[in-house]
C-alpha cells in the first residue's frame, strides 16, 4: 500500500487525484482462516491489527454485518481519557491513551488526535470527594490527573456558569493529555493497516450462527456461507448477548441506547472537553465548530440506534444550567448507538465456555477511548491465551465476585 504523505498529496494534486488506491480491499471470503473476528468496529479492527503487528498472525478475516465503523465506533462523541479508579482499568485505558499519542504515525493515517484536555466537573460534595479520590489513585497509577478549583475551571472554560442554582461547580478532575480523535478515522486507519497486512475485511456479512464440535470452535455461519476458523473473537458491542446465545452461553450484560447530538457550527468558544456527570451532559467543540453534546443512557433496555426523544430534551435542559449559551443554539442532528453495559461498568475481555472462542465487550458508554489498549490486550489473549492487560476482565469475575467497580469513572449516567 502506498504511504500517505505531504509528497503524495502534492503528487496527486498535480494529476487530479486519479492515483489514490482504495484504502482497503473488499475480497470474497475464503473457506478457512486461522482467526475470525466478528465485528469491524474499532475494537475488532484493533484486535486484528495487533494480532498481525505483534504476533505475525495475518490469516485473519474480520466479518461485519453492516459497514465498518458503522456501529458505536462511528456514533460516539470521541472523548479520550484514562482517569479511572481501579488499577486494572487505569492500566488498560492509559495504555490506550498513550498509544493514541502516536497512532496516526503508526497507522500512517491522520486520526486528528487532539489532546486538548478533559474536565469532569464536580457539582456535588459527593463528586468532590469521589474525584479527589480518583486523582490520588491516578497519582499512584502513573496517570497524570489533578483535582482543580472552580477558578481554574473558569480559566479553562470561560463560557461556563460556576454558580448554577442547583449544581454550582465545586471543582473538577482535570486530565491535560485527555482529548478527542476523529472516530471514523480510527476505524478507517486500522482497517487500511489490516488490509495491507493481507487480512480480509468482509462487509455486509452477518454472522448468523457459531459452529462448535466437542465444545471447541470450528467456524461460523454467515450470510455469505459457512467459514471455518481455529479461533474466533467476538467483538460486537451491543449485540454481544446475541452472539453468546448462538454459542450457547449467557453474558451478564444489558443493551441500551445512548444518544448524542451536534449543534450548528459556531465560532471557537471552548477548547477543552467538559463532562458534567451530575446533570447528565457533556460537551466539546468539533473542528468544524459544532458543539458535540451527549447525555445519559435510555431508561429501558432497547436495540434502537436512535434513542428516545424526551431523553435528548432532558440532556439539553440540564446542560443549560451549566452552559447558558446552549439555549441560543440550533441543534443540527441527533443519533444513537446500542451500548453494552455490565453490572460493574467494566468491560469483558475473556475466554468463553467454548474453547477457542473469545469475547471483547461491555465497554458500555466509554469504549472509544480504549480501542488501542483493548485491541493490544485482546490480541495477546487470543495469541497466547493470557495477557496482563486483560487478566482482571475475565468472565469468571462475575462468578467469583471480583468486580471492578467503575460506576463513577464511567462518567455517563446509566
Ligand atoms: P462497534 O463499533 O459497535 O462495533 C461492533 C460491530 O459489530 C458493529 O459494526 C456491528 O455492525 C457488528 N456486528 C454486530 N453483530 C454482528 C453480527 N452478527 N455479524 C457481524 N457483525 C456484527 N466512548 C468513549 O470512550 N468516549 C465517548 O465520548 C463515547 N461517546 C459515546 C457516545 C455515544 C452516543 C455512543 C453510542 C457511544 C459512546 N462511547 C464513547 C462508547 C463507544 O462508542 C463504544 O464503547 C465503542 O465504540 C465500542 O466499539 P466496538 O468496536 O466494541 O463496537
Ligand atoms: O467515557 O468519557 C466517556 C464518555 C463521554 C461520553 C460518553 N462516554
Amino acid at each position: 500500500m502506498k504511504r500517505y504523505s505531504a509528497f503524495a498529496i502534492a503528487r496527486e494534486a498535480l494529476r487530479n487525484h486519479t492515483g489514490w488506491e482504495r484504502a482497503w480491499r473488499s475480497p470474497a471470503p475464503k473457506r478457512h482462516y486461522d482467526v475470525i473476528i466478528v465485528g469491524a468496529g474499532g475494537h475488532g479492527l484493533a484486535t486484528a491489527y495487533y494480532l498481525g503487528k505483534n504476533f505475525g498472525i495475518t490469516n485473519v478475516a474480520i466479518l461485519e454485518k453492516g459497514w465498518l465503523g458503522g456501529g458505536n465506533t462511528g456514533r460516539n462523541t470521541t472523548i479520550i481519557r484514562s482517569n479511572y479508579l481501579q488499577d486494572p482499568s487505569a492500566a488498560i485505558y492509559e495504555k490506550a491513551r498513550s498509544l493514541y499519542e502516536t497512532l496516526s504515525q503508526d497507522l500512517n493515517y491522520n486520526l486528528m488526535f487532539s489532546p486538548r484536555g478533559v474536565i469532569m466537573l464536580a457539582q456535588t460534595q459527593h463528586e468532590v470527594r469521589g474525584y479527589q479520590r480518583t486523582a490520588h489513585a491516578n497519582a499512584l497509577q502513573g496517570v497524570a490527573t489533578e483535582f482543580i478549583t472552580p477558578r481554574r475551571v473558569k480559566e479553562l472554560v470561560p463560557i461556563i456558569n460556576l454558580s448554577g442554582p442547583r449544581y454550582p461547580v465545586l471543582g473538577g478532575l482535570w486530565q491535560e493529555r485527555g482529548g478527542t480523535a476523529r472516530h471514523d478515522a480510527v476505524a478507517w486507519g486500522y482497517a487500511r493497516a489490516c488490509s495491507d497486512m493481507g487480512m480480509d475485511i468482509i462487509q455486509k456479512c452477518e454472522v448468523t450462527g457459531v459452529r462448535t464440535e466437542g465444545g471447541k470452535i470450528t467456524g461460523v455461519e454467515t450470510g455469505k456461507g459457512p467459514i471455518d476458523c481455529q479461533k474466533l473473537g467476538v467483538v460486537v458491542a451491543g449485540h454481544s448477548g446475541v452472539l453468546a446465545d448462538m454459542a450457547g452461553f449467557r453474558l451478564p450484560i444489558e443493551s441500551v441506547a445512548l444518544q448524542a447530538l451536534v449543534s450548528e457550527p459556531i465560532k471557537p468558544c471552548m477548547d477543552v472537553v467538559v463532562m458534567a456527570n451530575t446533570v447528565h451532559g457533556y460537551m466539546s467543540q468539533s473542528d468544524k465548530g459544532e458543539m458535540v453534546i451527549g447525555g445519559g443512557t435510555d431508561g429501558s433496555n432497547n436495540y434502537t440506534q436512535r434513542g428516545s426523544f424526551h431523553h435528548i430534551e432532558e440532556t439539553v435542559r440540564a446542560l443549560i444550567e451549566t452552559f447558558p449559551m446552549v439555549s441560543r443554539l440550533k441543534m443540527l442532528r441527533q443519533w444513537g448507538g446500542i451500548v453494552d453495559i455490565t453490572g460493574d461498568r467494566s468491560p469483558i475481555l475473556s475466554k468463553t465456555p467454548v474453547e477457542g472462542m473469545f469475547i471483547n465487550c461491555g465497554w458500555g458508554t466509554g469504549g472509544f477511548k480504549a480501542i488501542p489498549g483493548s485491541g493490544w490486550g485482546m490480541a495477546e489473549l487470543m495469541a497466547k491465551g493470557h495477557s496482563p492487560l486483560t487478566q482482571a476482565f475475565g468472565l469468571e469475575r462475575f462468578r467469583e465476585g471480583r468486580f471492578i467497580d467503575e460506576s463513577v469513572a464511567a462518567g455517563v449516567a446509566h
Side-chain angles (χ1 to χ4, degrees):
M1 186 139 334
K2 283 187 199 142
R3 279 189 67 74
Y4 292 155
S5 64
F7 173 73
I9 293 172
R11 185 192 57 216
E12 288 307 321
L14 291 175
R15 52 180 190 187
N16 291 327
H17 295 279
T18 51
W20 295 116
E21 296 170 322
R22 285 193 177 277
W24 51 83
R25 296 167 297 106
S26 288
K30 295 189 285 197
R31 191 65 185 79
H32 177 274
Y33 293 90
D34 293 341
V35 175
I36 288 178
I37 302 290
V38 190
H43 289 264
L45 289 162
T47 300
Y49 173 72
Y50 293 112
L51 275 172
K53 183 176 173 186
N54 294 353
F55 300 99
I57 300 170
T58 55
N59 184 19
V60 176
I62 304 131
L63 309 182
E64 167 55 51
K65 75 170 177 179
W67 66 97
L68 72 86
N72 293 342
T73 299
R75 293 165 186 270
N76 75 85
T77 45
T78 78
I79 297 174
I80 296 171
R81 58 185 175 87
S82 57
N83 52 357
Y84 282 68
L85 180 65
Q86 312 291 352
D87 291 350
S89 325
I92 197 163
Y93 287 105
E94 178 60 12
K95 172 79 182 172
R97 200 206 55 75
S98 63
L99 285 168
Y100 265 121
E101 295 260 1
T102 53
L103 201 54
S104 295
Q105 291 78 6
D106 293 347
L107 297 176
N108 179 227
Y109 203 96
N110 185 2
L111 308 183
M112 297 165 72
F113 176 58
S114 166
R116 61 184 69 179
V118 176
I119 308 177
M120 289 169 99
L121 297 179
Q123 292 178 284
T124 62
Q125 287 300 339
H126 179 74
E127 273 186 317
V128 170
R129 280 197 296 274
Y131 289 144
Q132 283 175 341
R133 182 180 174 208
T134 302
H136 292 314
N138 288 166
L140 294 173
Q141 291 151 345
V143 176
T145 65
E146 62 178 305
F147 188 81
I148 56 174
T149 60
R151 192 165 156 199
R152 178 85 177 112
V153 171
K154 186 74 180 172
E155 277 166 19
L156 289 164
V157 193
I159 61 170
I160 206 164
N161 172 25
L162 291 180
S163 53
R166 289 184 307 161
Y167 298 115
V169 175
L170 305 174
L173 183 64
W174 169 235
Q175 184 167 24
E176 195 168 11
R177 293 300 292 179
T180 59
R182 170 81 197 272
H183 49 9
D184 306 304
V186 172
W188 297 339
Y190 275 122
R192 179 169 173 268
C194 287
S195 181
D196 194 32
M197 283 191 274
M199 298 180 184
D200 289 351
I201 302 170
I202 301 161
Q203 303 183 72
K204 295 191 192 151
C205 182
E206 179 167 0
V207 170
T208 52
V210 172
R211 296 204 335 256
T212 61
E213 221 175 84
K216 209 170 170 301
I217 198 76
T218 57
V220 290
E221 304 288 346
T222 79
K224 295 184 192 254
I227 311 177
D228 297 337
C229 65
Q230 265 132 283
K231 289 185 183 173
L232 179 69
V234 172
V235 199
V236 294
H239 289 88
S240 301
V242 178
L243 267 287
D245 195 42
M246 288 177 196
F249 62 92
R250 294 189 67 196
L251 288 174
I253 211 154
E254 294 186 344
S255 294
V256 59
L258 177 71
Q259 49 187 318
L261 67 154
V262 291
S263 74
E264 60 188 328
I266 55 173
K267 286 186 179 167
C269 65
M270 195 175 85
D271 61 3
V272 299
V273 179
V274 182
M275 300 182 68
N277 303 328
T278 291
V279 298
H280 299 184
Y282 51 90
M283 192 160 81
S284 64
Q285 188 164 24
S286 77
D287 295 335
K288 283 187 282 182
E290 302 154 336
M291 301 312 288
V292 182
I293 295 174
T297 50
D298 270 9
S300 56
N301 292 355
N302 64 70
Y303 281 94
T304 73
Q305 287 188 310
R306 287 171 303 169
S308 55
F309 183 70
H310 75 270
H311 212 79
I312 213 76
E313 191 186 359
E314 192 180 294
T315 297
V316 174
R317 199 172 50 219
L319 263 190
I320 286 172
E321 179 176 324
T322 313
F323 297 99
M325 52 82 80
V326 168
S327 68
R328 309 279 298 277
L329 290 178
K330 291 193 180 68
M331 293 302 152
L332 210 60
R333 58 180 189 279
Q334 169 272 352
W335 66 92
I338 309 159
V339 296
D340 43 335
I341 300 178
T342 61
D344 60 2
R345 279 37 181 170
S346 287
I348 298 168
L349 295 108
S350 186
K351 294 178 181 174
T352 70
V354 176
E355 198 184 327
M357 176 175 174
F358 300 79
I359 191 139
N360 177 343
C361 64
W363 292 99
T365 58
F368 174 71
K369 67 174 85 67
I371 285 172
S374 153
W376 186 287
M378 183 72 178
E380 189 171 29
L381 176 66
M382 291 188 71
K384 296 184 7 192
H386 56 88
S387 159
L389 272 183
T390 65
Q391 200 173 348
F393 297 105
L395 264 174
E396 63 284 355
R397 79 175 187 271
F398 297 98
R399 206 176 44 242
E400 296 167 358
R402 288 186 296 98
F403 303 116
I404 307 167
D405 183 355
E406 288 293 5
S407 39
V408 173
V412 177
H414 20 59

